[in-house]
Amino acid sequence: GSAGDADATGDKKKRKRKKKKVVDDEPATVKKTPAPVEHWETVPVVEEWQEVGSKKAKQKVKLEVNAAAIEDAAEIIATEGGGDGEAAESSVSISAGDDPYIFIGKGGSTIQNLQASTGAKFDLNRTTNVLTISGPEECVQQGLAEARAILASEAERKANETTEKVTWGADAIKAVIGKGGSNIRATQDATGVKIDADVDAGTLVIVGPREQVSAALTMCHNAAFGEAQDSLELGSRNAVNVVYGPNFQTIRELQDSTGCKLDIARGSTTLKLSGSNEAVSDAMARVRALLNANRGFDMTIDNSKVGAVYGKGGATLRSIQDRTGVQIDVERGPTHATVSVMGT
């Protein structure tokens, strides 16, 4: 029984080996065909080229975007430069000279007019005194010509410039300035000169073209002293007091009614008149009439009687003047005194 089983087992093994050998003896094409398919499916070359192709596609899209941006920028530049083939913008810089404010003008009027008339933009660097003109080429050239003309005019003005300095005193300088500076501003606006008035020093400095300086000096002189000046020697303190009047009321009324300025220096008997020709003439006539009406008389007394006329501390003399309204002046001589009485 065991021998039969051994034979059967041996036959099975032979059959298995034979089957395996048959498989090994199969044609090579049958064995190799699946392998390449499994290799290409496992490492697909197609996916690698797809990835590379994607990168190139991205680069292409990026280049297209950049090209579009460049076209947009070119369109913007063309629009800002005027478009339709107009000249591109340009700029030029020149020195604004020693006084760059000639390009600014009062309230910026000059530079505003330049920009409006030329179409160019004017930019003044006040630190470096450099004027930059920018805009379309044609506008820049026109603006440059205008700027050069202003510089030439300024150079000519300075070549003809002169300075006049006078010393008239604090009161006269105050009159030149006027209330709130009204007189001096009017003179500068009318003549175009520069005026520096120093009240403390009593001086006036005028700078500008010769003809304008001369005109400004005349205007300042008239403001300080009047168009015409005249003087009248009153001759005595009595006459001075008559012109002054009580509490200076008479001289104020004369000035208000005639428009003439009247001045008597302290300790002097000379009356100075200034104003328009008409005002001076009118005031002079009124003062003479006033003096004639208060002419009075003179009398001579011994020097020993002078004390009685004055009284204690001048009380008697003041009392007579207050009661009569006359002016009394006593002038001592070597032996006699002259008493002048003026009044109506």
Side-chain angles (χ1 to χ4, degrees), residues 14-324:
K14 285 180 180 180
R15 284 196 300 271
K16 285 183 180 180
R17 283 197 300 268
K18 186 176 182 179
K19 286 180 181 180
K20 187 174 181 181
K21 184 176 181 181
V22 170
V23 173
D24 292 339
D25 292 337
E26 289 178 358
T29 54
V30 177
K31 183 178 180 181
K32 293 181 179 179
T33 299
V37 174
E38 291 177 0
H39 169 76
W40 287 108
E41 287 179 356
T42 304
V43 185
V45 178
V46 175
E47 291 183 4
E48 181 179 352
W49 282 104
Q50 284 178 347
E51 184 178 355
V52 173
S54 176
K55 289 180 181 180
K56 289 185 177 180
K58 289 181 181 179
Q59 290 177 351
K60 181 178 179 182
V61 171
K62 186 176 181 181
L63 289 173
E64 291 175 352
V65 171
N66 289 342
I70 291 173
E71 291 178 358
D72 292 342
E75 183 178 355
I76 293 172
I77 292 172
T79 302
E80 293 180 347
D84 298 332
E86 292 188 8
E89 292 195 354
S90 64
S91 66
V92 63
S93 297
I94 61 172
S95 172
D98 297 333
D99 184 12
Y101 291 97
I102 59 174
F103 290 104
I104 300 297
K106 187 175 182 180
S109 59
T110 301
I111 198 167
Q112 290 172 5
N113 291 336
L114 283 170
Q115 294 184 137
S117 63
T118 65
K121 180 181 178 182
F122 286 71
D123 182 27
L124 177 63
N125 188 322
R126 301 188 184 186
T127 303
T128 61
N129 287 355
V130 171
L131 178 68
T132 301
I133 309 170
S134 59
E137 180 65 23
E138 183 178 354
C139 297
V140 169
Q141 291 303 318
Q142 184 179 352
L144 181 60
E146 294 286 347
R148 285 174 173 167
I150 291 175
L151 289 172
S153 176
E154 177 67 6
E156 182 179 357
R157 183 191 69 80
K158 286 187 175 182
N160 189 39
E161 190 174 83
T162 187
T163 300
E164 187 77 34
K165 181 178 181 179
V166 294
T167 302
W168 289 342
D171 291 339
I173 300 304
K174 288 179 181 178
V176 169
I177 296 172
K179 186 176 181 180
S182 58
N183 288 348
I184 198 169
R185 280 198 302 270
T187 302
Q188 291 182 127
D189 291 343
T191 61
V193 301
K194 180 181 179 181
I195 303 176
D196 181 21
D198 190 332
V199 174
D200 295 333
T203 59
L204 189 72
V205 179
I206 307 174
V207 180
R210 289 179 178 83
E211 292 184 2
Q212 280 76 7
V213 168
S214 178
L217 184 61
T218 300
M219 293 179 68
C220 292
H221 190 275
N222 291 345
F225 307 109
E227 179 183 354
Q229 296 81 41
D230 206 344
S231 63
L232 177 64
E233 179 55 48
L234 302 178
S236 68
R237 292 302 306 171
N238 274 349
V240 171
N241 291 332
V242 167
V243 173
Y244 277 146
N247 299 318
F248 301 96
Q249 181 177 353
T250 302
I251 195 170
R252 282 198 292 266
E253 290 176 352
L254 284 168
Q255 292 183 125
D256 293 342
S257 61
T258 64
C260 178
K261 182 180 179 181
L262 305 177
D263 182 56
I264 303 173
R266 184 183 295 275
S268 170
T269 58
T270 301
L271 173 67
K272 294 182 178 181
L273 304 88
S274 60
S276 66
N277 290 324
E278 182 180 355
V280 170
S281 178
D282 187 16
M284 180 68 79
R286 295 195 184 199
V287 171
R288 290 185 185 279
L290 178 65
L291 293 175
N292 286 333
N294 291 271
R295 185 165 45 188
F297 60 90
D298 293 341
M299 60 183 296
T300 302
I301 62 175
D302 291 336
N303 284 341
S304 60
K305 303 297 185 180
V306 171
V309 174
Y310 275 111
K312 186 176 181 179
T316 302
L317 184 62
R318 284 196 300 272
S319 176
I320 295 171
Q321 292 182 131
D322 291 342
R323 285 186 287 111
T324 62

